[in-house]
Amino acid sequence: MKLLISKANQLGDNVVFLPVVQELLKQHQAADCHLLTSPVAADLYRGLLPEENLWVMPTNEVLGAWKNPARFAGMLHRWRKIRPDAALLPFDQGNVPRLLSQLAGT
């Protein structure tokens, strides 16, 4: 099962979320997991996932992508290319990751 996790928040939020990702990686192959996170938190996840499965974008670009159609379209294209079977969208992720997930059919 391919899984896409969205956690494009600040460092502290990702530190608290890290055990969730570690547990998911115990249950699923790392090659089947993809993670969208912020540059300040990316190092927390490096080594847990293949580098190509780590999607790093500034938080303001993720949450504000609805204001930039080209950026939003690029994110949707990448989300669809991953073709996740499921997406983990913690409550604090805002509307853009939720909309991307719906439009991608996850």
Side-chain angles (χ1 to χ4, degrees):
M1 177 171 86
K2 279 194 176 177
L3 177 64
L4 192 142
I5 304 163
S6 176
K7 192 64 174 164
N9 290 51
Q10 300 306 317
L11 184 59
D13 292 332
N14 278 277
V15 168
V16 173
F17 192 69
L18 183 59
V20 173
V21 174
Q22 290 171 326
E23 186 60 33
L24 285 169
L25 291 173
K26 285 181 187 175
Q27 297 175 20
H28 302 281
Q29 294 181 5
D32 290 334
C33 295
H34 299 260
L35 179 82
L36 168 60
T37 194
S38 61
V40 297
D43 284 343
L44 291 173
Y45 303 105
R46 285 205 166 87
L48 297 177
L49 300 162
E51 190 65 30
E52 62 270 11
N53 292 11
L54 193 58
W55 181 0
V56 181
M57 285 185 75
T59 302
N60 63 333
E61 288 185 18
V62 173
L63 300 181
W66 63 274
K67 298 177 196 175
N68 184 323
R71 182 182 308 134
F72 186 85
M75 291 175 71
L76 180 58
H77 175 74
R78 183 162 181 184
W79 200 294
R80 285 181 172 164
K81 188 177 176 183
I82 293 170
R83 301 176 59 120
D85 298 304
L88 175 60
L89 308 168
F91 72 94
D92 60 353
Q93 284 305 278
N95 293 327
V96 169
R98 295 181 196 295
L99 182 57
L100 288 170
S101 182
Q102 288 177 347
L103 292 174
T106 52

